Every structure is written in structure tokens, then in C-alpha cells.
Amino acid sequence: MKLNKGKKVEKREELYAGKAKSVYYTDDENKLILHYRNDTSAFDGEKIEKLDRKGEINNKFSAFIMQKLEEAGVPTHHEALLSAEETVVKKLDMFPIECVVRNIAAGSICKRLGVEEGIELTPPTFEFFLKSDELHDPMINEYHICAFGWADDEAVEKMKELTFKVNAVLTRLFADAGLLLVDYKLEFGRFQGDIYLGDEFTPDGCRLWDIKTRKKLDKDRFRQGLGGVVEAYEEVARRLGVDLS
Ligand code: ADP
Ligand code: UDP
């Protein structure tokens, strides 16, 4: 594992403990430390379990993906891996919004629209959700975002543009590893006026199927009680060439 070779960032008090990660202030006001825990949650925190090694795998997985996205011209919050379960990131002012692109129907869209899982979506769809566990992350549109001031028009357009750019980069990256990128969720934030991709990109926040067998290799294994959750995440990481040492 390649660690931060520059000036070591010092961890300060906890800013926020989420369902899967804890966020810490650092001695640098522009940077935070994300600690990926083993906690795994589904159904807005109703189902929770600790899965050994998941924190470490997700930390290294997300760092790998963020670096690939940076190389492809997507600005991300990623700064450096700090330890097996921790990454230093830019401290973003997060939009309370989730951006979801779907290449294949699965999950909530199947329930909502009564469509069968596995249907290819051409063109891929884009959806916004409000980040709110109490309200069960309701689906929203651009008018809600602007009317309630969650983001301005320009930011909305930028988030859409970047989310589709991520789709172009990652569908190919995963296809080269024999995987279908079914859908994924992204979160963005602002740093010194510009918009950056924040949070994480891991099998906790996307759906990945084996191209040939369509075996699920993502958090649906946990949601649906299929077992082998961490093994599936590891398999995806191995196929992509993520350094898990
Ligand atoms: P949740 O809040 O949904 O339970 P997590 O457990 O993953 O999710 O918590 C991580 C929290 O940190 C999320 O609320 C996310 O929006 C926030 N976050 C992620 N990246 C950054 C960043 N670069 N700057 C500020 N906040 C961030
Ligand atoms: N997703 C996420 N966090 C959320 C909601 C969704 O990471 O709070 C991801 C989910 O893992 C999937 C995609 O976004 O890859 C689309 O999720 P969907 O709307 O189908 O909801 P789900 O059925 O997963 O609750």
C-alpha cells in the first residue's frame, strides 16, 4: 500500500459519524480524514452488521477509483491514503444530494416503475435523491433542488455532467475487468468555489455484476442476505488490480 509521502496530516476531533464512515477534522482546515469502518448498513440503517476487512477494502478501492477518475479529468476530493482504513480528502461543502446513474434496471427503479431487474437502459438514466435517512432519501428533481436552495443551476448542470463522465470512464474500466456497472451513487461538494466529487466509490454504493454470469458482486449480497459480501468486494478489487496489501 502506497501511503502519503508528503507532510503527515494530523487527526483532530470527530466531525461526523455516518453509517459506514467517520469523518475527522485535521490540523489543516482544508482537509479531513475519512475513516472507513467495517459497519455495513442497508434500508436506511435498519439492517446493520460489522463485516471484517470491509473498511480496509473499501478505503483502498475508493482511493484507486478516485485516482482513475482524476486521471480522466474528474476533479475529486482524494488527497492521499493515510492508513489501511483512512484517507485524507479535501474538506468539501457537500450538497445534500445523491446523483444516481443507471445502465441496467435494478433496486429501487424496479419497485418504483414495476420493471424487471436486468433490463438495459438506453440511454442510461439519471436521478437525484435528497440525502435524508428520516425521509428515506426521496427522489427529487432540478426544480426542488433550486427552489429549496440545495444547489444552484450551474452546480446542478456540473453534477450531471461529471456523473455522466464518471459513467464513461468506469463502465469501460469495469468492463475490462469482466464486470457490468449496473448503477451507482455519487455525492459532490464545493471547495474554494469549484465542484469536486466527494464521498466514496465502492461496492457499497454501486451495483456490479459479472459480465458472463451476472453474479452480484456488490452490496446487494448484503441487502439480499446472499452471503460472501467481503469476498465479492475483494474479487472486484482483485480483478481491477487494486493494491490490497
Ligand atoms: P452517511 O452520512 O450516509 O451515513 P457515511 O457513513 O459514508 O454516510 O458518512 C460519510 C459522510 O461524510 C457523508 O455524509 C458524506 O456526505 C460526507 N463526506 C464525504 N466526503 C466528504 C468531504 N470530502 N468533505 C466533507 N464531507 C464529506
Ligand atoms: N445508493 C447508495 N446510497 C443510497 C442509495 C443508493 O449508495 O443511500 C446506491 C445503491 O447502492 C445503488 C444505486 O445507488 O448502486 C441506486 O440505488 P437504488 O435507488 O436502486 O436504491 P436501493 O435499492 O439500493 O436502496
Side-chain angles (χ1 to χ4, degrees), residues 98 100 102 106-108 137 183-185 204-207 223:
E98 300 183 338
V100 171
R102 300 175 195 272
S108 73
D137 294 353
D183 60 27
Y184 57 91
K185 179 267 301 179
D204 268 0
C206 70
R207 289 190 169 91
R223 292 189 189 93

Side-chain angles (χ1 to χ4, degrees), residues 15-23 32 34-37 41 77-78 89-95 98 131 133 137 185 187-190 197-200:
L15 165 64
Y16 174 76
K19 294 186 291 296
K21 300 193 291 299
S22 299
V23 184
L32 296 173
L34 295 188
H35 176 209
Y36 287 75
R37 308 192 313 269
S41 78
H77 67 164
H78 180 80
V89 296
K90 288 186 176 65
K91 181 178 187 296
L92 305 184
D93 191 5
M94 299 298 288
F95 298 107
E98 300 183 338
K131 245 181 98 71
D133 285 339
D137 294 353
K185 179 267 301 179
E187 292 181 28
F188 294 89
R190 229 184 247 288
L197 175 62
D199 205 46
E200 65 179 76

Side-chain angles (χ1 to χ4, degrees), residues 95-97 142 145-153 155-156 159 190:
F95 298 107
I97 291 167
E142 275 123 302
I145 294 173
C146 288
F148 293 108
W150 293 318
D152 60 26
D153 272 339
V156 164
M159 285 190 271
R190 229 184 247 288

